[in-house]
Amino acid sequence: MKVEKDLFGVDVDYHLQKVDMGYICELTELSIQCIVLYMSYLYEVMKASNMHRSFFFVNPYVTSVKNKPGDDSHEALLARRLEDAKSGELVFAPCNIG
């Protein structure tokens, strides 16, 4: 599935797997793919109401996935994304702190 570029500032492709459907149906821990799906839906609903310009979305991969050696840190990736935020926008940045 493709996520609209306006949502995270870059093109994002993601794939839901069978295990993701189980997470959704059982209301257990959500995978990042499920969170992206929910965020994409929320963005589309907000866009239809012309509310999407009040919010700034951060891709959950930026804050939750383990980095490989040599990759930018989560902090650097988040800071780079937040540079695009406009004054007055509310930031929606899901993260896994566990």
Side-chain angles (χ1 to χ4, degrees):
M1 300 173 126
K2 267 206 173 308
V3 174
E4 197 173 318
K5 185 176 182 177
D6 290 344
L7 181 60
F8 298 129
V10 295
D11 288 322
V12 175
D13 288 324
Y14 69 98
H15 309 279
L16 292 178
Q17 300 175 5
K18 184 178 179 181
V19 68
D20 296 315
M21 294 298 112
Y23 294 151
I24 292 170
C25 294
E26 297 169 9
L27 299 175
T28 59
E29 180 179 341
L30 295 178
S31 67
I32 291 176
Q33 291 87 349
C34 291
I35 294 169
V36 169
L37 175 67
Y38 281 123
M39 290 176 73
S40 179
Y41 176 75
L42 176 63
Y43 181 77
E44 291 301 319
V45 169
M46 294 172 79
K47 191 173 176 182
S49 303
N50 205 28
M51 293 177 53
H52 66 293
R53 301 209 186 279
S54 300
F55 294 86
F56 185 80
F57 293 85
V58 175
N59 187 335
Y61 285 99
V62 168
T63 56
S64 299
V65 175
K66 289 190 176 190
N67 291 343
K68 294 180 240 158
D71 284 352
D72 289 338
S73 68
H74 292 294
E75 294 83 3
L77 293 170
L78 181 58
R80 194 172 310 129
R81 176 67 178 137
L82 291 176
E83 288 174 354
D84 295 331
K86 295 178 184 86
S87 178
E89 285 182 320
L90 298 173
V91 176
F92 190 88
C95 65
N96 180 357
I97 59 172

